[in-house]
Amino acid sequence: MSRAVVFAYHNVGVRCLNVLLAQGVDVVLVVTHRDNPKETIWFESVQKLAELHGIPTITPDNPNVPEVVEQIRALQPDFFFSFYYREMLKAPLLAIPKGGALNMHGSLLPKYRGRVPVNWAIIRGETETGATLHYMTEKPDNGDIVSQQAVPILPNDTAHEVFQKVTVAAEMALNNVLPALLAGRAQAMKQDLSKGAYFGGRKAEDGVIDWSRSALEIHNLVRAVAPPYPGATTQIMGKSMRILQTLVSKDDAAGKEPPAFCVKEGKAHATCANGVLRVVRFELDGIEMSAADFAAKYGTKKFEFNR
């Protein structure tokens, strides 16, 4: 039986830990994160799953400190697995497992190396993404690939919906290759890093809408940062507006006037520099409203966006 130390968090961590347990891997320790009270916790708990199965857990702020490295080295693991763990593992840790250290990344590497790959893929209009299991090195997401599973991104999918698909893709990618990996027979493929790029994290302020962009680009931003993420934001009438769901309209009456919001024939619309969006769901000053609610309170004239 192979022994593993698992670094894991989030839904991918839960599903992939389940795969290891289902295939008989002896998980001797789970390293995870304490939930941040400032973060919206919409995902499942790796720590609760580990506790259910009687697996010891630790939650160090930094897994690379000497005392944690020595604790893990004493366990003599054959493998490390990292499933959506948020800290980089440095050379002293990576040198411990005899069979190697593997990470599950939420894109089709070498595309979208780095942070929040699902959100970036949607923002950039991709029609496909997936999950990749690869060997870890000190540089993020650039080690040899042992398994990949693709999933489609449909035109109106939100990041949450795509992340649910990627979670299943991660489970499949791991489950398919794990027997060969444990037996030392898995084939690894070197990445061609020229075919992808590295992307950094995103902040709430990155969701401010630039109305000089096309309707399609703005639609992609809206769905990439829709709840449970912070959302796409703008202002009208000096009030904050959060746009939660859009559809790209076939109406081409755009570019002739400044970008604006209005209710027409009972439906809310936003004219952009190039194209029109149907605004399906939105909030004004933190309160979600329907198109009818907005029209009853403010009328049906056009309101230019303040930004």
Side-chain angles (χ1 to χ4, degrees):
M1 182 183 290
S2 295
R3 294 164 59 86
V5 171
V6 175
F7 300 77
Y9 196 58
H10 224 288
N11 288 352
V12 170
V14 168
R15 294 311 308 164
C16 289
L17 177 55
N18 269 320
V19 170
L20 297 182
L21 297 174
Q23 294 210 25
V25 175
D26 181 17
V27 178
V28 292
L29 180 70
V30 167
V31 186
T32 187
H33 301 289
R34 291 184 292 272
D35 291 337
N36 183 344
K38 297 180 181 179
E39 182 177 356
T40 301
I41 305 299
W42 53 269
F43 40 84
E44 296 178 75
S45 170
V46 167
Q47 182 154 4
K48 287 181 180 178
L49 177 62
E51 290 170 353
L52 176 66
H53 290 277
I55 303 168
T57 63
I58 58 173
T59 56
D61 292 332
N62 180 0
N64 298 291
V65 296
E67 56 269 29
V68 175
V69 173
E70 290 309 312
Q71 179 183 359
I72 292 172
R73 181 178 286 116
L75 295 171
Q76 298 183 315
D78 300 300
F79 293 95
F80 282 175
F81 291 97
S82 177
F83 305 130
Y84 272 59
Y85 188 71
R86 294 175 173 177
E87 300 294 329
M88 290 291 296
L89 307 186
K90 295 184 179 178
L93 268 178
L94 294 177
I96 292 172
K98 298 182 286 290
L102 295 106
N103 175 61
M104 185 67 73
H105 185 71
S107 77
L108 296 176
L109 292 177
K111 289 186 173 182
Y112 299 100
R113 303 190 300 277
R115 301 291 186 179
V116 294
V118 166
N119 308 75
W120 279 116
I122 295 171
I123 286 169
R124 293 172 67 88
E126 299 286 356
T127 58
E128 183 182 61
T129 189
T132 302
L133 185 69
H134 66 96
Y135 284 103
M136 282 190 276
T137 69
E138 284 196 89
K139 293 185 178 179
D141 308 323
N142 76 338
D144 293 355
I145 294 168
V146 294
S147 184
Q148 280 190 327
Q149 177 66 46
V151 293
I153 302 176
L154 303 183
N156 297 314
D157 280 346
T158 66
H160 183 241
E161 290 167 334
V162 175
F163 186 78
Q164 289 175 312
K165 298 181 192 183
V166 168
T167 300
V168 176
E171 182 175 345
M172 294 173 66
L174 177 62
N175 192 66
N176 291 342
V177 79
L178 190 57
L181 187 65
L182 298 178
R185 293 184 282 99
Q187 299 296 310
M189 179 183 67
K190 189 173 180 63
Q191 290 192 56
D192 181 352
L193 300 181
S194 68
K195 293 183 177 179
Y198 182 85
F199 289 79
R202 293 183 59 82
K203 304 179 292 294
E205 51 265 37
D206 295 326
V208 175
I209 297 170
D210 177 358
W211 291 103
S212 69
R213 300 286 187 176
S214 70
L216 179 58
E217 289 174 301
I218 294 170
H219 173 64
N220 289 342
L221 174 66
V222 169
R223 62 199 186 97
V225 299
Y229 300 100
T233 59
T234 188
Q235 287 194 348
I236 61 169
M237 302 180 290
K239 301 175 185 289
S240 64
M241 174 177 273
R242 193 163 74 127
I243 297 182
L244 306 174
Q245 183 181 3
T246 55
L247 295 172
V248 177
S249 171
K250 294 180 181 178
D251 186 343
D252 62 358
K256 303 166 187 175
E257 299 176 2
F261 179 89
C262 70
V263 174
K264 181 173 64 175
E265 298 176 353
K267 295 178 181 178
H269 299 269
T271 54
C272 311
N274 178 10
V276 177
L277 286 176
R278 162 101 179 277
V279 182
V280 180
R281 291 181 57 215
F282 64 95
E283 292 175 352
L284 194 62
D285 272 353
I287 299 171
E288 187 162 355
M289 307 179 74
S290 67
D293 292 337
F294 185 93
K297 189 168 185 177
Y298 300 106
T300 56
K301 68 177 184 178
K302 290 186 176 181
F303 296 88
E304 290 185 20
F305 294 109
N306 302 129
R307 64 178 184 185

